[in-house]
């Protein structure tokens, strides 16, 4: 089966998801609620890619979308990057104390969070629920209630008999790992790492160093964007 | 039908489950039947259903909390629905609701201590011309005021019935 991945025709196998194909060919799609050992869930939407052509293109979650003959996938189109940035911004606003979210924001070059920080301790990615069910076979926790009241808990909010306190849910939780400044940092966005001087010794015009995604390069790129547009 | 009776009432729950052939796909139907029998979903009943159908308790709890039709708390003998739709709202439904709350000493979605009333709100009953409207056990009382609602509540209170 053949699909077009970022303009390049590549061979893929049936049953793969777009994310599988992108991983196989080295296109780096950021993910959050995806984990190799667990079933894909499509909760965080960070892995969005653009499929289809022209005005009929749409954004889909690549971790769940199966490949199809002749599919035209763009993993880093303008629309995709914009959508992803918005998602990370929203996630950071919901849970600014998470290291993983701060790292994502930093690697995407997000410099401002326009939303009111909520300091929630859960982003409802469902990693812990799937971990508990699929890997630990305990099925002690799950989603309860719906809408804005949706949350993860045990039945009746009391200690579950099924829970073996293995701690796998905490191990996999992206919100449980706190950022360097701790839960009560001065700023909503840490972006401390953005100020570190470039670690790469040599820089080339068309390639990035092995540190993908290097924050320094990304930042420089953003700065050059205006100049590039003028030239065109 | 509440509390202590229930722990020995497993045969009734088992009968409901058996009615649906002990099949997982009928979980919602089973929960509906349990709710119809007890007026709410007792914890013990959910545990029993989980055992019988061999599905994780958390899954049943998820379903039971997802749908508004299911209640995990016992309901009173009479259910009061106060309409808070736009038409009722501008005609003072908030005041009527406040009056009921004060009189019964409960909040929305709570049940009185004597298990006689459960107070709920609804966003429109479709009878806006009669607003503010209060529905008790399916019977509608239109053009409510704080004075009128008091006499309506009296009709349903336990003292009156005895």
């Amino acid at each position: 089966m053949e699909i077009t991945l970022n303009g390049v025709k590549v061979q893929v196998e049936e049953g793969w998801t777009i994310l599988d194909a992108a991983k196989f060919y080295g296109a780096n799609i950021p993910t959050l609620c995806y984990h190799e050992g667990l079933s894909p869930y499509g909760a965080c939407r960070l892995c969005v890619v653009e499929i289809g052509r022209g005005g009929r293109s749409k954004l889909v979650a690549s971790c769940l979308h199966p490949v199809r003959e002749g599919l035209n996938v763009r993993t880093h189109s303008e629309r995709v990057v914009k959508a992803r940035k918005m998602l990370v911004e929203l996630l950071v606003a919901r849970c600014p104390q998470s290291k993983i979210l701060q790292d994502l924001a930093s690697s995407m070059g997000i410099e401002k969070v326009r939303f009111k920080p909520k300091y929630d301790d859960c982003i409802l990615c469902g990693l812990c629920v799937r971990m508990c069910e699929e890997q630990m076979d305990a099925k002690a926790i799950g989603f309860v209630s719906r809408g804005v009241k949706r949350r993860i808990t045990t039945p009746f909010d009391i200690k579950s008999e099924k829970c073996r306190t293995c701690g796998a849910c905490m191990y996999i939780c992206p919100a449980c790992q706190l950022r360097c400044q701790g839960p009560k940092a001065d700023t909503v966005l840490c972006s401390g790492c953005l100020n570190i001087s470039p670690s790469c010794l040599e820089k080339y015009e068309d390639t990035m160093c092995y540190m993908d995604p290097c924050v320094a390069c990304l930042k420089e790129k953003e700065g050059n964007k205006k100049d590039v547009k003028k030239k065109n | 039908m509440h509390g202590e009776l229930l722990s020995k009432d497993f045969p009734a729950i088992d009968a409901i489950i058996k009615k649906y052939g002990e099949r997982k796909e009928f979980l919602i139907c089973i929960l509906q039947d349990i709710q119809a029998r007890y007026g709410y979903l007792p914890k013990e009943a959910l545990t029993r259903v989980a055992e019988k159908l061999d599905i994780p308790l958390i899954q049943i709890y998820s379903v039971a909390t997802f749908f508004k039709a299911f209640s995990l708390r016992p309901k009173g003998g009479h259910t009061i629905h106060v309409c808070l739709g736009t038409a009722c709202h501008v005609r003072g439904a908030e005041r009527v609701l406040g009056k009921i709350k004060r009189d019964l000493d409960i909040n929305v979605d709570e049940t009185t201590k004597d298990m006689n009333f459960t107070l709920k709100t609804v966003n429109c009953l479709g009878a806006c011309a009669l607003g503010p409207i209060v529905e008790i056990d399916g019977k509608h009382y239109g053009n409510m005021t704080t004075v009128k609602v008091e006499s309506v509540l009296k009709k349903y209170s336990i003292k009156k019935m005895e």
Side-chain angles (χ1 to χ4, degrees):
Chain A
M1 203 189 288
E2 195 178 72
I3 65 163
T4 316
L5 186 69
N6 292 338
V8 183
K9 288 213 162 87
V10 293
Q11 291 295 321
V12 293
E13 266 168 51
E14 195 158 350
W16 278 10
T17 60
I18 296 176
L19 186 66
D20 290 333
K23 274 192 165 180
F24 188 80
Y25 288 104
N28 189 22
I29 298 176
T31 55
L32 181 64
C33 74
Y34 176 82
H35 193 278
E36 277 164 1
L38 304 171
S39 60
Y41 192 60
C44 72
R45 315 308 282 185
L46 262 191
C47 64
V48 284
V49 293
E50 196 175 358
I51 59 165
R53 261 167 244 276
R56 301 191 102 187
S57 72
K58 57 176 181 179
L59 297 178
V60 295
S62 64
C63 66
L64 282 167
H65 202 94
V67 287
R68 193 171 65 228
E69 182 68 46
L71 201 66
N72 183 18
V73 182
R74 277 142 293 160
T75 62
H76 285 78
S77 68
E78 204 172 323
R79 191 174 163 201
V80 169
V81 172
K82 202 178 159 194
R84 254 181 226 154
K85 276 189 167 182
M86 175 60 94
L87 285 165
V88 173
E89 207 175 318
L90 284 161
L91 286 169
V92 169
R94 183 174 182 138
C95 192
Q97 67 272 30
S98 156
K99 180 185 184 298
I100 288 169
L101 290 178
Q102 291 288 350
D103 285 351
L104 272 168
S106 184
S107 73
M108 287 190 188
I110 290 166
E111 286 164 20
K112 200 179 162 193
V113 172
R114 292 163 287 177
F115 308 102
K116 201 180 158 198
K118 270 182 83 186
Y119 296 98
D120 266 351
D121 47 14
C122 180
I123 53 169
L124 299 173
C125 65
L127 273 172
C128 55
V129 175
R130 281 173 284 152
M131 184 65 145
C132 190
E133 186 180 336
E134 293 167 21
Q135 292 292 344
M136 297 303 148
D137 199 28
K139 294 167 193 160
I141 51 173
F143 288 105
V144 161
S145 209
R146 70 176 153 160
V148 286
K149 287 181 187 158
R150 197 161 183 246
R151 64 206 165 86
I152 291 170
T153 185
T154 52
F156 308 105
D157 294 331
I158 48 170
K159 192 188 177 304
S160 170
E161 286 166 20
K162 301 269 178 68
C163 175
R164 305 187 298 264
T165 56
C166 67
C169 45
M170 282 191 282
Y171 165 77
I172 203 153
C173 175
C176 287
Q177 199 182 350
L178 297 179
R179 62 158 149 169
C180 342
Q181 296 106 314
K184 284 179 184 162
D186 300 335
T187 54
V188 177
L189 202 62
C190 79
S191 75
C193 304
L194 277 175
N195 300 325
I196 297 170
S197 57
S199 54
C200 16
L201 295 171
E202 283 177 85
K203 277 202 266 179
Y204 305 95
E205 271 195 5
D206 300 324
T207 51
M208 274 190 187
C209 59
Y210 64 95
M211 286 185 69
D212 179 50
C214 175
V215 178
C217 293
L218 275 175
K219 223 194 161 191
E220 198 157 275
K221 255 191 173 176
E222 204 125 291
N224 291 338
K225 233 184 189 175
K226 283 173 192 168
D227 305 332
V228 175
K229 270 183 186 169
K230 269 177 197 169
K231 272 177 201 169
N232 291 344
Chain B
M1 200 57 87
H2 301 292
E4 66 278 11
L5 253 179
L6 191 86
S7 51
K8 289 168 193 163
D9 207 18
F10 277 152
I13 292 161
D14 290 352
I16 292 171
I17 299 168
K18 208 165 189 185
K19 195 175 123 195
Y20 292 99
E22 302 195 5
R23 282 163 65 186
K24 291 175 189 178
E25 52 268 46
F26 289 110
L27 174 61
I28 290 176
C29 302
I30 291 168
L31 294 185
Q32 274 174 332
D33 280 16
I34 293 172
Q35 168 126 333
R37 191 184 162 98
Y38 301 103
Y40 75 113
L41 295 176
K43 190 177 155 189
E44 296 81 3
L46 295 191
T47 321
R48 184 67 178 176
V49 173
E51 271 172 33
K52 282 294 236 179
L53 295 185
D54 193 26
I55 35 184
L57 183 58
I58 183 66
Q59 201 179 332
I60 296 175
Y61 189 63
S62 285
V63 172
T65 52
F66 186 89
F67 294 104
K68 211 177 176 182
F70 293 130
S71 167
L72 289 161
R73 269 177 292 175
K75 271 192 189 159
H78 307 290
T79 309
I80 309 169
H81 282 111
V82 181
C83 179
L84 292 181
T86 315
C88 292
H89 176 78
V90 294
R91 293 188 191 193
E94 285 289 342
R95 283 198 295 278
V96 175
L97 180 66
K99 171 74 179 166
I100 298 174
K101 276 192 200 166
R102 277 198 301 281
D103 279 9
L104 301 179
D105 195 21
I106 51 169
N107 260 316
V108 176
D109 286 334
E110 284 181 5
T111 304
T112 50
K113 270 184 197 148
D114 58 6
M115 301 297 292
N116 195 33
F117 288 113
T118 298
L119 180 59
K120 296 211 159 192
T121 61
V122 63
N123 286 329
C124 189
L125 285 169
C128 303
L130 294 173
I133 193 160
V134 172
E135 183 206 39
I136 302 178
D137 294 345
K139 208 169 170 221
H140 295 74
Y141 297 90
N143 297 316
M144 277 294 121
T145 59
T146 45
V147 184
K148 271 194 197 166
V149 81
E150 201 173 337
S151 58
V152 172
L153 285 184
K154 255 184 201 155
K155 265 198 230 168
Y156 289 92
S157 65
I158 288 175
K159 277 173 207 157
K160 179 86 184 177
M161 286 166 106
E162 275 165 0

